[in-house]
Amino acid sequence: MSALQVLRALDGSPRGLTEAEAGERLAHRGANTPPGRRPPSRARRLAQSLRDPFTAVLFCLGLVSALVAAWGTACVILALVAVSCALRAQGEHRADRSMDRLRGLVATTASVQRRSTPDAAPRVREIPVDDLVPGDVVRLAPGDLVPADVRLLRARGLTVHQAALTGESAPVPKQPADLPGAGDSAHLLFQGSSIASGAGTGVVVATGADTRFAAVRTAGRRTEKSAFDRSVHGISWVLIRFMLLTPPLVLMADAALRGRGLETLPFAVAVAVGLTPEMLPVIVTTCLARGASLLARTHGVIVRRLPALHDLGAVDVLCVDKTGTLTQDRPVVDPDRTDAEALHWAGTSAWWILQTAGPADPDPLDEALLAATGPDDWDAYDGIDALPFDPVRRLATAVVREPGALGTHILAVKGAAPDVLSRCALDADERAALLRRAADQAAEGV
């Protein structure tokens, strides 16, 4: 659909929603939060702790001891069960609280354009991301997180980091399109991405569980048991089989040798308890949690699933699939391949674009040029004006002048080779030769 058709379908306006309309939609559609697992209550956590094979068997042995009136044994066994369940439940509760604190560090506001009444002028203000609704008109600037799925209405030099959705390490250019083609997403911004450069205005088309980010998150939620879980449960069931086999053997041996029957049941239960490593789950969980804590403190690595520590440590061969070449994702200037005068003007352009146009963050290519040049290149000129890199123009332009050279301005342009060469006074053969040279160097990764 065209941008106007989208606005009509959402019953919205380029001027934004009124506060009353936004309130009604929020009450009807719910908060703009991705679907997540509600944290279980403490009682449910305790009940889930009984799923562990050892803990479940101990609980059954405690009940058997109570049935045969072995109250001392029953109390000891049930106390062990209670301590084990409490330790596991408390550990999971603390992990959930830590995740909640991490989520609280993420920016939770968005710049939205709203009106107090239908006839009032729109006003831009910050609101919680949770309060966004379809039809809201939002404004985005460098460094902002995209708060929902957005259809662009206006944009200037907009590039977006969307590695969380696509794995692309480089920013992706975005621009509005009145009638986009099939499969084209250059006019769409998705929740979970962030603005790298430029600015834009768009209308929210999806929130909460309807966003692409929520779909990706839901698709990856179900995971199989890890090799660590399978090995631990395998050992657990081997020990449980021995434990379940031992009490009948004790009873039969005592009956055959001493002629006694159920009188030795408490002793048989005690033997079974002795064979049960009831603290094994607690010890394993504690060790993994300590490893995760050390990783977080010393290396800044957050472990969301504790068994992943064992799985990663047990890897012999790691196969990684990455689009393109394996690099440091950091461009550098090779002085041996760079003309000194070209490097001088490129560094001058990068410096004065940063100083005059004032982007929030320097472009990685500009950072490489600034690292390869110095103040001797930059300070020889006064900056007049600049246009930062634009993914549509594919150029960055700086206008400078030498101090004392009144009326003489110098235009320094850098960008994609075809776009720069199209603005140069060259004949067709020279332009073709330079384009071939640029293509040859690009084929070598330069």
Side-chain angles (χ1 to χ4, degrees):
M1 295 189 291
S2 67
L4 182 59
Q5 289 173 324
V6 169
L7 286 168
R8 286 176 177 172
L10 294 170
D11 196 16
S13 164
R15 302 173 63 215
L17 300 175
T18 65
E19 297 292 348
E21 289 172 337
E24 291 176 1
R25 297 186 187 193
L26 184 62
H28 176 67
R29 301 184 64 93
N32 176 32
T33 55
R37 180 179 60 87
R38 294 182 61 186
S41 62
R42 291 182 180 271
R44 187 176 180 183
R45 287 188 193 278
L46 291 172
Q48 289 176 343
S49 299
L50 292 173
R51 292 180 181 178
D52 179 76
F54 291 136
T55 306
V57 169
L58 273 179
F59 183 71
C60 293
L61 290 175
L63 296 180
V64 170
S65 300
L67 290 175
V68 298
W71 302 112
T73 303
C75 290
V76 171
I77 294 175
L78 293 178
L80 284 174
V81 170
V83 170
S84 178
C85 291
L87 285 174
R88 296 192 66 179
Q90 179 65 15
E92 293 177 358
H93 178 66
R94 292 177 63 184
D96 284 343
R97 283 194 307 175
S98 298
M99 290 300 295
D100 289 338
R101 287 197 293 268
L102 283 175
R103 294 188 189 101
L105 297 176
V106 179
T108 56
T109 62
S111 298
V112 66
Q113 186 173 291
R114 284 187 180 171
R115 297 169 289 159
S116 56
T117 63
D119 298 329
R123 186 170 61 92
V124 178
R125 64 186 184 89
E126 295 285 324
I127 68 167
V129 168
D130 295 352
D131 292 344
L132 281 178
V133 295
D136 264 328
V137 175
V138 295
R139 293 190 180 182
L140 299 165
D144 287 350
L145 297 176
V146 179
D149 286 359
V150 174
R151 167 75 179 260
L152 279 177
L153 301 177
R154 295 181 299 277
R156 182 175 183 271
L158 188 65
T159 61
V160 176
H161 285 296
Q162 51 186 26
L165 294 170
T166 65
E168 299 167 282
S169 61
V172 178
K174 296 287 185 176
Q175 57 190 7
D178 189 45
L179 285 173
D184 182 17
S185 62
H187 60 295
L188 297 174
L189 306 180
F190 301 110
Q191 186 182 44
S193 53
S194 61
I195 307 302
S197 63
T201 301
V203 58
V204 174
V205 295
T207 59
D210 298 329
T211 62
R212 293 278 185 91
F213 182 73
V216 171
R217 183 176 177 181
T218 304
R221 183 174 296 171
R222 297 184 61 184
T223 57
E224 296 182 0
K225 287 186 177 180
S226 66
F228 177 74
D229 290 330
R230 292 196 298 270
S231 61
V232 168
H233 280 89
I235 295 172
S236 300
W237 282 110
V238 169
L239 294 174
I240 287 172
R241 291 187 184 99
F242 276 109
M243 182 202 67
L244 294 176
L245 185 62
T246 301
L249 292 177
V250 171
L251 291 175
M252 288 188 294
D254 195 66
L257 296 176
R258 300 183 181 180
R260 292 189 295 180
L262 294 177
E263 296 87 354
T264 57
L265 183 58
F267 175 72
V269 171
V271 172
V273 172
L275 291 174
T276 306
E278 59 275 354
M279 295 304 290
L280 178 62
V282 178
I283 293 173
V284 169
T285 302
T286 302
C287 290
L288 292 177
R290 177 170 174 77
S293 176
L294 288 173
L295 277 176
R297 287 201 305 268
T298 59
H299 297 286
V301 176
I302 298 175
V303 180
R304 294 186 59 193
R305 196 172 57 87
L306 292 182
L309 287 173
H310 175 273
D311 292 344
L312 186 61
V315 166
D316 294 317
V317 178
L318 177 65
C319 300
V320 179
D321 178 26
K322 180 184 181 298
T323 303
T325 57
L326 290 173
T327 69
Q328 296 180 6
D329 195 24
R330 180 176 59 87
V332 295
V333 173
D334 184 355
D336 295 335
R337 297 190 184 210
T338 307
D339 179 81
E341 186 179 6
L343 180 58
H344 165 78
W345 286 112
T348 300
S349 175
W351 173 254
W352 286 111
I353 286 173
L354 184 63
Q355 297 300 313
T356 307
D361 297 303
D363 183 271
L365 290 174
D366 286 345
E367 289 183 330
L369 290 168
L370 295 176
T373 56
D376 292 341
D377 297 285
W378 317 329
D379 293 344
Y381 307 94
D382 294 328
I384 303 300
D385 201 355
L387 284 175
F389 182 81
D390 186 325
V392 178
R393 295 172 60 242
R394 303 206 303 171
L395 296 172
T397 306
V399 181
V400 299
R401 72 181 176 196
E402 295 186 33
L406 297 177
T408 302
H409 292 175
I410 302 171
L411 188 74
V413 180
K414 61 183 178 62
D419 297 87
V420 173
L421 292 176
S422 68
R423 288 160 170 80
C424 295
L426 302 169
D427 59 38
D429 292 338
E430 288 178 307
R431 186 175 290 106
L434 289 170
L435 286 174
R436 283 196 300 271
R437 181 180 175 189
D440 292 340
Q441 296 209 19
E444 298 177 14
V446 179

